[in-house]
Amino acid sequence: MEILAQFGTEQQRQEWLEPLLDGRIRSAFCMTEPDVASSDAANIALRIERTGEEYVLNGRKWWSSGAMSPQCRVFIVMGVTDPDAERYRRQSMVLVPKDTPGIGVVRSTSVFGYTDGPHGGHAEVVFDNVRVPASNILLGEGEGFRIAQERLGPGRIHHCMRALGAAERALELLCRRVTGRVAFGKPVAAQGVVQDWVADARIRLEMARLLVLKTAWLMDTAGKKAARMEISAIKVAVPEVANWVIDRAIQAHGGAGVSQDFPLAALWAQVRTLHLADGPDEVHKMAIARRELGRYVTG
Ligand SMILES: Cc1cc2nc3c(=O)[nH]c(=O)nc-3n(C[C@H](O)[C@H](O)[C@H](O)COP(=O)(O)OP(=O)(O)OC[C@H]3O[C@@H](n4cnc5c(N)ncnc54)[C@H](O)[C@@H]3O)c2cc1C
């Protein structure tokens, strides 16, 4: 939605954004490919070739979240329009209605065995001579990399807000469990090690929350570009904190923590994917380090 709102033409917004905002349809973002290291967006290889007044798409995507939903009607697909262009100008994005001939939704990929809902799963999608009108391009040829960069800021902050909520829930469950359960003659909460987890969890959560708030404030007041470093920082810091808290909550629950009787295992699995989705930790750290070191490079 973010992409259409920011980069769509009047006609594209009318056709797709309005029904998306009304909740009548869903979309999927198709960038990642099974055959190339997609954390480097410049590697994206699906071919988008202009022939007359159409673009023809050939290639394979996976991890297209939301594409399994019967409500999903449109894909935003990233691919190569000019393989000879400068590294960051090779790719473009086009809008592709899901029912276009040549599209095959091959399968859904699971996350640690979870299917992420009956229709919410992540899809592997084949594009075999898929034809769309040339007017379906977003912003213009060569703008794919830029759109991908711009899109991910708001998406990342939402991921972090959800992860903080998941960690808060885990801490609440942890506290309830250890105060109501007795081992070796006293509540589990009376153990120093457990109190250490609880205190550490609260400290880490508050630090992470403040960094997310700072990032949101920067985005609101100075714009997404000015908040780039902070966006990368929260994308690394929050999943780390949330996974740590959820992991301790699992431990405090004993065997119950990994069972289906509590939401902890599912929360852990969801948050664990955030070390990968929307850019692996290492890539965000690379961006932060480049910025930091850049201040000291002379000449
Ligand atoms: C639950 C989930 C939902 C997703 N949803 C979507 C979606 O809707 N649309 C979409 O297009 N994609 C989606 N993805 C895909 C996700 O964005 C990619 O998995 C991610 O960008 C990494 O790409 P890759 O899997 O090709 O890993 P690769 O690029 O093969 O990287 C593998 C590993 O190499 C290491 N690495 C890479 N670069 C560096 C570096 N510079 N320094 C050090 N180490 C490095 C990292 O550890 C990285 O995890 C989703 C993934 C998951 C798990």
Side-chain angles (χ1 to χ4, degrees):
M1 275 200 267
E2 177 75 27
I3 290 181
L4 275 166
Q6 199 176 339
F7 302 107
T9 61
E10 192 55 43
Q11 196 207 329
Q12 288 167 345
R13 285 204 294 256
Q14 254 177 30
E15 191 173 357
W16 300 113
L17 186 60
E18 285 178 19
L20 277 165
L21 288 170
D22 290 345
R24 283 183 276 131
I25 66 165
R26 290 189 64 178
S27 63
F29 180 64
C30 308
M31 182 171 126
T32 306
E33 299 179 6
D35 297 332
V36 296
S38 304
S39 52
D40 179 357
N43 280 343
I44 297 305
L46 177 137
R47 199 70 174 91
I48 303 177
E49 277 172 290
R50 176 100 187 223
T51 56
E53 283 313 298
E54 288 180 325
Y55 283 111
V56 184
L57 283 72
N58 280 291
R60 184 180 290 259
K61 299 286 181 182
W62 74 338
W63 291 110
S64 302
S65 300
M68 299 305 296
S69 166
Q71 263 186 302
C72 181
R73 297 279 195 281
V74 64
F75 295 152
I76 295 173
V77 184
M78 182 162 170
V80 176
T81 37
D82 182 1
D84 301 321
E86 168 282 286
R87 183 171 159 82
Y88 297 112
R89 300 282 308 168
R90 286 177 207 153
Q91 282 96 359
S92 308
M93 285 193 197
V94 288
L95 289 160
V96 183
K98 189 180 166 186
D99 58 5
T100 311
I103 289 180
V105 176
V106 178
R107 62 169 180 150
S108 164
T109 38
S110 65
V111 173
F112 292 110
Y114 290 100
T115 54
D116 282 5
H119 303 304
H122 317 278
E124 181 168 339
V125 187
V126 169
F127 296 81
D128 182 14
N129 280 318
V130 173
R131 291 173 175 272
V132 293
S135 57
N136 280 25
I137 193 142
L138 280 160
L139 205 57
E141 286 191 17
E143 299 287 354
F145 190 85
R146 186 182 139 204
I147 299 174
Q149 290 296 103
E150 294 256 346
R151 165 220 171 228
L152 291 170
R156 283 166 185 159
I157 208 160
H158 281 126
H159 279 317
C160 290
M161 292 190 291
R162 281 193 296 268
L164 283 174
E168 277 293 347
R169 175 114 168 84
L171 180 56
E172 181 190 332
L173 288 168
L174 187 163
C175 293
R176 288 189 192 285
R177 184 75 171 185
V178 295
T179 45
R181 209 156 162 95
V182 173
F184 299 96
K186 52 186 178 185
V188 175
Q191 300 291 348
V193 66
V194 174
Q195 292 176 10
D196 195 63
W197 294 345
V198 171
D200 247 353
R202 177 50 66 211
I203 294 165
R204 290 174 194 225
L205 272 168
E206 292 308 312
M207 289 195 299
R209 178 176 290 115
L210 275 175
L211 189 52
V212 172
L213 280 171
K214 180 197 169 187
T215 309
W217 168 78
L218 260 182
M219 284 171 81
D220 283 348
T221 54
K224 281 183 280 188
K225 225 175 180 168
R228 251 187 209 167
M229 199 284 284
E230 283 77 6
I231 291 169
S232 281
I234 58 170
K235 183 60 185 36
V236 176
V238 173
E240 202 171 299
V241 165
N243 263 141
W244 188 91
V245 175
I246 297 166
D247 189 73
R248 292 309 177 282
I250 288 174
Q251 192 69 13
H253 279 70
V258 292
S259 77
Q260 73 274 36
D261 291 354
F262 289 86
L264 294 166
L267 290 179
W268 187 89
Q270 279 168 27
V271 172
R272 178 62 184 83
T273 67
L274 294 184
H275 289 285
L276 299 165
D278 276 0
D281 290 355
E282 294 79 6
V283 176
H284 287 292
K285 284 187 174 175
M286 179 179 75
I288 296 169
R290 272 187 188 157
R291 189 160 292 242
E292 200 65 26
L293 291 167
R295 293 158 49 197
Y296 301 92
V297 175
T298 49

